[in-house]
Amino acid sequence: MSVDWDALKAAAVSARANSYSSYSGFPVGAAALTTDGRLVTGCNIENASYGMTLCAECSLVSDLFRQGGGKLAYFACVDGNGNTLMPCGRCRQLLFEHSAPGMKLLTVSGIKDITDVLPDAFGPAQLEEHKNG
Ligand code: THU
């Protein structure tokens, strides 16, 4: 399976149009392709209680589950100027949980693997290891 990064970025720009971000004035859009070729998208949704803000990646993962779940293969995120945005630390963890092995991200320093942006990640495998001693 391959990806058209420009098209994925364009989908992130479209999703950004629904951003609710008047507190920060920093709209974000995110888009990903699942391993079975579905497009999932998200935008940031802020809150008067600032710390409750949902990043665009959170609503993307909600969209993934609304569509019945699956694993993410390719991911892109954009800011208000259309520039590629790095997912914040919390969202790297969130994306890792739902990533297919080898998931690729469009980053400020090129195409990277999810394990490049979250090295030695803690994830479901560690919980399994603990269970099995
Ligand atoms: N934001 C995201 O949506 N994703 C990120 O990975 C980084 C930050 C949002 C949260 C907040 O609404 C705004 O950007 C400024 O931090």
Side-chain angles (χ1 to χ4, degrees):
M1 185 183 163
S2 67
V3 63
D4 177 343
W5 286 110
D6 288 339
L8 198 59
K9 229 179 143 177
V13 169
S14 289
R16 191 191 62 199
N18 294 320
S19 167
Y20 179 77
S21 52
S22 50
Y23 298 110
S24 70
F26 194 88
V28 178
L33 283 182
T34 60
T35 51
D36 56 358
R38 282 172 294 129
L39 175 69
V40 292
T41 61
C43 60
N44 54 337
I45 306 164
E46 298 188 344
N47 193 283
S49 178
Y50 296 164
M52 288 181 63
T53 286
L54 303 177
C55 282
E57 294 86 337
C58 297
S59 68
L60 180 147
V61 168
S62 295
D63 192 23
L64 176 69
F65 278 78
R66 183 189 61 78
Q67 290 188 20
K71 291 291 176 192
L72 303 174
Y74 300 102
F75 172 87
C77 189
V78 294
D79 67 14
N81 297 319
N83 295 320
T84 295
L85 189 72
M86 286 305 288
C88 72
R90 180 177 182 274
C91 287
R92 293 179 200 195
Q93 180 74 29
L94 181 66
L95 291 170
F96 179 75
E97 181 82 19
H98 304 292
S99 62
M103 172 190 166
K104 299 288 183 284
L105 299 90
L106 188 59
T107 81
V108 292
S109 43
I111 311 298
K112 295 218 161 156
D113 196 280
I114 183 70
T115 55
D116 295 330
V117 301
L118 195 67
D120 301 324
F122 174 82
Q126 280 63 44
L127 294 180
E128 280 307 311
E129 270 169 36
H130 175 76
K131 258 197 268 175
N132 302 329

